Amino acid sequence: MELNFKHQLGLLCVTLLLPALCTSQDSFTCSRATYYGSPDCYGNSRGACGFGEYGKTVNDGSVAGVSWLWKNGSGCGACYQVRCKIPQFCDEYGAYVVVTDYGEGDRTDFIMSSRGYSKLGRNTDASAELFKYGVVDVEYRRVPCRYGGYNLLIKVHEHSRNPHYLAILILYHGGTYDVTAVELWQEECQEWRRMRRAFGTVFDAENPPRGDIKLRFQLSGNAEQYWVQSKNVISGNWEAGAVYDSEVQLG
């Protein structure tokens, strides 16, 4: 059967529009998601973001590893709404997950904890059916992280050694902006000094300033970039494992 030019043009337009429909409607992007198993269905405490136990239990364990959304580590802590596309099984709101790890799958943007993946389903039975699929088509969008009652926290990494080496990680990163840089204040030079992104959400500095340490964070997203300074300091007698409240909220 031959198609005339008008029909061919119509088919071409439909074909070209399909991806656009997926990415424009409510700002959702099409992809695929799968899950990984763990004894307690929570996240991985050894995830590439460097969160430790926080990365296992934050958001009640509904977390995910990502690939291109990883953004060289600046994607750590980002929050996404993910919903699958099998009407008889999938919840219309889907799952809300926090990025805590890096992971690559079979054309998947999300490798979710079992706890997070189960929330794609409308109910327990529907979730069980989705687990049988193993991999499902999804659509996702970035959403603000909301941590009621929590400011952004700064934790001194376990490998830190006062006064020679300071490494920090960022917890309860709210909003929709990525933390793309961290700087500490050098009082003797009267200037900000850039910390190195060691991996994931861990930033470090050799020979940090003595005494209390002021920090500021560069936030990037939505085609803009700005700095937020912590209202609190890391005390001069800091030690590994200590947690400091920045007294600011992002987002």
Side-chain angles (χ1 to χ4, degrees):
M1 179 180 68
E2 292 187 3
L3 297 177
N4 63 35
F5 176 76
K6 184 182 294 186
H7 287 156
Q8 290 175 347
L9 181 61
L11 287 173
L12 176 62
C13 290
V14 170
T15 302
L16 291 175
L17 281 173
L18 282 175
L21 289 173
C22 187
T23 56
S24 63
Q25 187 176 7
D26 298 326
S27 300
F28 280 92
T29 300
C30 289
S31 184
R32 284 155 48 97
T34 185
Y35 66 94
Y36 61 89
S38 65
D40 52 13
C41 298
Y42 282 87
N44 177 13
S45 62
R46 302 181 68 181
C49 286
F51 284 130
E53 284 299 311
Y54 170 92
K56 178 179 180 178
T57 59
V58 67
N59 194 37
D60 196 30
S62 291
V63 297
V66 296
S67 51
W68 78 272
L69 294 170
W70 168 255
K71 303 176 188 176
N72 197 34
S74 64
C76 288
C79 297
Y80 291 91
Q81 179 187 4
V82 183
R83 59 191 190 190
C84 59
K85 302 167 73 175
I86 308 172
Q88 65 269 36
F89 299 134
C90 296
D91 183 83
E92 64 177 308
Y93 298 106
Y96 171 91
V97 295
V98 179
V99 173
T100 60
D101 203 353
Y102 177 88
E104 295 183 13
D106 178 16
R107 295 179 290 115
T108 58
D109 278 314
F110 294 91
I111 302 178
M112 304 167 69
S113 65
S114 298
R115 206 171 180 88
Y117 188 87
S118 69
K119 293 182 179 178
L120 294 174
R122 297 164 64 95
N123 50 50
T124 302
D125 290 340
S127 296
E129 292 299 319
L130 294 176
F131 276 109
K132 293 177 183 178
Y133 277 80
V135 180
V136 292
D137 290 329
V138 298
E139 54 188 14
Y140 69 89
R141 64 179 175 181
R142 181 85 178 260
V143 293
C145 295
R146 303 292 188 199
Y147 301 111
Y150 284 97
N151 296 324
L152 179 132
L153 300 183
I154 304 158
K155 182 176 181 179
V156 180
H157 193 271
E158 59 186 8
H159 291 159
S160 298
R161 295 293 179 267
N162 196 344
H164 305 295
Y165 174 73
L166 172 65
I168 62 166
L169 56 144
I170 300 166
L171 309 179
Y172 297 108
H173 164 198
T176 57
Y177 285 76
D178 298 328
V179 176
T180 49
V182 179
E183 294 183 342
L184 46 77
W185 178 249
Q186 298 260 115
E187 185 65 31
E188 66 276 15
C189 303
Q190 290 292 294
E191 66 181 13
W192 290 99
R193 170 185 165 191
R194 183 70 59 100
M195 299 184 75
R196 179 182 72 110
R197 185 186 292 276
F199 63 93
T201 191
V202 178
F203 294 83
D204 67 1
E206 299 279 355
N207 301 312
R210 302 296 177 96
D212 295 347
I213 298 175
K214 299 177 184 177
L215 295 175
R216 69 175 184 173
F217 309 93
Q218 184 184 68
L219 304 181
S220 301
N222 298 329
E224 62 177 332
Q225 196 172 80
Y226 63 97
W227 290 92
V228 173
Q229 184 172 334
S230 174
K231 295 180 182 178
N232 199 4
V233 297
I234 296 177
S235 65
N237 62 346
W238 56 264
E239 58 185 26
V243 178
Y244 296 89
D245 189 335
S246 70
E247 297 183 6
V248 297
Q249 294 187 353
L250 307 182

